[in-house]
């Protein structure tokens, strides 16, 4: 059997893989992207952040995304019992995009992958990477849909395998997340929310459970009259409910009066109800000789601020910049130029996610007297600008500023 050679191999055609492929094709590099599933396929992660638009644009995929007709998004609304607040991302501290989309990932991921293909990526669906011998070149074993196998020699590997976490598992890079295990139950509903119900379809709605501050629901409207609806909690919370997953989801939604009112005419489970548990994950290193980990194959925090796809794109951008410099003959320090800058923004999100579950962030956003400039800084983080060190809440690595704000809003 002959060995196939490629300059760059990308494992997985999710958002991280496709944006990296497109960026590398813009540099004129030879890119092979292997995706074990057939597209379109379902994926969770449907609400984008405005920061992600910058990377879509840099990848040359903006027109593809705009023309796909996804739901426009300009902010986030939060509700807890009688309290509610909303952030318009166009009113934010950081420069850049203030709007984005909420997307059915089956369509969105397909749009990105086909765009990367149009730009010259060799894209194969149904081909699964089985094993990897890292190095330069790396040797990779692949299985086709018919069961036959072949070998690839790759100059560099970008692992964009998402929750499958291929290289972390194969190379023992897994390290525990410092978040407790949580899970989600979710589906798509045809929502039939009346236009006068006080529901802004241009925003994601995050609802805190009326009694449990660490349990929350997402309601993500799409442009086709449906919403993605899900609830996140620790497994011990879900154990109190019995019956099918649909029944559990309906029972938990039924505990919140506002969601119950909004969804009173909904047709449930337009897509099958799904569950996912224990998705928070980390790695001991985001790169090694001849490879780097993108998106969810690296670190995944938590879904509450919809940061996953934005982080996936950021990792693609940083990796493609490093590869451009290597190609130009420079010696690249992947820790200094890929891992550290990527983790800087992830760390910003982590501070806010921790403050969300501890309840402090919720005190801040519902507080009746908020300084407009502070609100714009928080709006920036919620819009995904977690790498903008001009924002004091990004620059303050210690989290002291956020704690002071929490104290001001307590009581
Ligand atoms: P994926 O999108 O998972 O893509 C990986 C691809 O690799 C898959 O298509 C898979 O088939 C392929 N693959 C895997 N193994 C192999 C192999 N061996 N060979 C070939 N191909 C392979 N993010 C947001 O931005 N907004 C949200 O609102 C949001 N909500 C979320 C809600 C929940 C409950 C959870 C758990 C996550 C949420 N996320 C959200 C996060 C989001 O799902 C991920 O961050 C995002 O999908 C990561 O993209 P990716 O490209 O890294 O991986």
């Amino acid at each position: 059997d002959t060995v196939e050679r490629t300059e760059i191999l990308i494992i997985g055609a999710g958002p991280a893989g496709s944006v990296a492929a497109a960026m590398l094709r813009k540099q004129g590099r030879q890119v092979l992207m292997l995706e074990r599933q057939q597209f379109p396929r379902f994926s969770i992660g449907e609400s984008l952040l405005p920061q992600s638009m910058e990377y879509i644009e840099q990848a040359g995929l903006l027109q593809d995304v705009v023309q796909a007709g996804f739901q426009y998004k300009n902010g986030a609304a939060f509700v807890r019992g009688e309290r509610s607040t909303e952030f318009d991302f166009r009113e934010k501290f950081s420069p850049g995009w203030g709007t984005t989309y909420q997307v059915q990932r089956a369509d969105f991921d397909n749009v990105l992958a086909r765009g990367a293909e149009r730009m010259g990526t060799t894209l194969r669906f149904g081909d699964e990477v089985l094993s990897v011998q890292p190095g330069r070149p790396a040797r990779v074993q692949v299985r086709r849909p018919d069961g036959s196998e072949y070998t690839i020699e790759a100059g560099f590997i970008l692992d964009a395998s998402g929750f499958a976490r291929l290289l972390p598992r194969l190379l023992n890079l897994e390290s525990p997340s410092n978040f407790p295990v949580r899970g989600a139950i979710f589906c798509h509903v045809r929502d039939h929310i009346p236009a006068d119900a006080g529901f802004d379809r241009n925003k994601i709605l995050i609802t805190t459970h009326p009694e449990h501050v660490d349990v929350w629901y997402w309601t993500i409207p799409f442009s086709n009259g449906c919403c993605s609806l899900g609830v996140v909690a620790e497994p011990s919370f879900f154990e109190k409910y019995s019956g099918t997953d649909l029944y559990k989801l309906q029972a938990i939604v039924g505990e919140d009066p506002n969601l119950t009112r909004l969804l009173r005419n909904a047709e449930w489970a337009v897509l099958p109800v799904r569950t996912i548990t224990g998705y928070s994950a980390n790695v001991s290193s985001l790169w090694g000789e001849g490879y780097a980990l993108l998106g969810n194959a690296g670190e995944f925090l938590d879904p509450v601020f919809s940061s996953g796809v934005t982080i996936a794109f950021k990792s693609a951008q940083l990796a493609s910049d490093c590869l451009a410099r290597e190609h130009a003959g420079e010696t690249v320090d992947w820790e200094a130029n890929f891992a550290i800058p990527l983790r800087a923004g992830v760390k910003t999100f982590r501070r806010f996610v921790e403050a969300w579950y501890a309840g402090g962030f919720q005190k801040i956003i519902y507080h009746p007297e908020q300084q407009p400039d502070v609100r714009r800084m928080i709006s920036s983080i919620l819009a995904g600008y977690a790498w903008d060190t001009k924002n004091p809440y990004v620059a303050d690595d210690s989290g002291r500023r956020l704690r002071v704000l929490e104290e001001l809003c307590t009581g």
Side-chain angles (χ1 to χ4, degrees), residues 69-99:
F70 295 116
Q71 172 64 48
Y72 167 84
K73 174 184 172 186
N74 62 23
F78 296 89
V79 172
R80 182 173 184 195
E82 301 292 300
R83 283 166 290 178
S84 70
T85 186
E86 57 178 53
F87 287 84
D88 187 325
F89 294 154
R90 293 165 298 183
E91 293 156 14
K92 60 174 168 48
F93 172 87
S94 303
W97 285 80
T99 66

Side-chain angles (χ1 to χ4, degrees), residues 27 30 37 50 67 161 170 173 210 252 340 361 394 398:
Q27 296 171 24
Q30 187 201 353
Q37 290 183 269
Q67 288 182 348
S161 63
L170 290 176
L173 304 170
I252 300 168
I340 290 174
F361 183 73
V394 174
S398 68

Side-chain angles (χ1 to χ4, degrees), residues 66-216:
V66 170
Q67 288 182 348
F70 295 116
Q71 172 64 48
Y72 167 84
K73 174 184 172 186
N74 62 23
F78 296 89
V79 172
R80 182 173 184 195
E82 301 292 300
R83 283 166 290 178
S84 70
T85 186
E86 57 178 53
F87 287 84
D88 187 325
F89 294 154
R90 293 165 298 183
E91 293 156 14
K92 60 174 168 48
F93 172 87
S94 303
W97 285 80
T99 66
T100 185
Y101 297 101
Q102 312 209 97
V103 300
Q104 295 93 331
R105 285 283 301 275
D107 299 333
F108 181 69
D109 290 16
N110 200 35
V111 164
L112 297 181
R114 295 301 180 183
E117 187 178 40
R118 186 193 66 239
M119 291 163 73
T121 302
T122 304
L123 170 60
R124 287 182 203 141
F125 290 108
D127 283 22
E128 178 172 12
V129 175
L130 299 176
S131 66
V132 175
Q133 232 177 287
R136 293 197 190 226
R139 276 178 81 87
V140 178
Q141 197 63 17
V142 184
R143 183 169 57 212
R144 298 187 186 90
D146 68 5
S148 63
E149 293 185 12
Y150 61 101
T151 306
I152 296 173
E153 252 183 32
F156 201 91
I157 297 179
L158 295 175
D159 180 6
S161 63
F163 292 111
R165 303 175 62 74
L166 187 72
L167 284 186
R169 286 184 210 275
L170 290 176
L171 306 179
N172 277 321
L173 304 170
E174 298 264 35
S175 89
S177 164
N178 37 20
F179 284 111
V181 171
R182 291 193 172 88
I185 308 180
F186 51 94
C187 73
H188 288 183
V189 300
R190 189 163 300 284
D191 58 82
H192 298 292
I193 299 176
D196 61 0
F199 179 64
D200 182 352
R201 298 198 80 87
N202 298 329
K203 293 183 173 65
I204 184 175
L205 169 62
I206 301 290
T207 305
T208 304
H209 188 280
E211 281 157 44
H212 304 274
V213 69
D214 63 337
V215 176
W216 59 275

Side-chain angles (χ1 to χ4, degrees), residues 11-16 34-37 39 41 43-47 105 109 127-129 160-164 166 184 218 220 276 279 295-296 300 303 306-309 312:
I11 306 171
L34 301 181
E35 166 56 54
R36 69 177 173 187
Q37 290 183 269
F39 276 19
R41 57 98 180 87
S43 171
I44 193 63
E46 297 151 323
S47 192
R105 285 283 301 275
D109 290 16
D127 283 22
E128 178 172 12
V129 175
S161 63
F163 292 111
L166 187 72
W218 76 74
I220 298 175
I276 181 169
Y279 36 70
N296 272 27
F300 181 71
S306 306
S307 55
V309 170

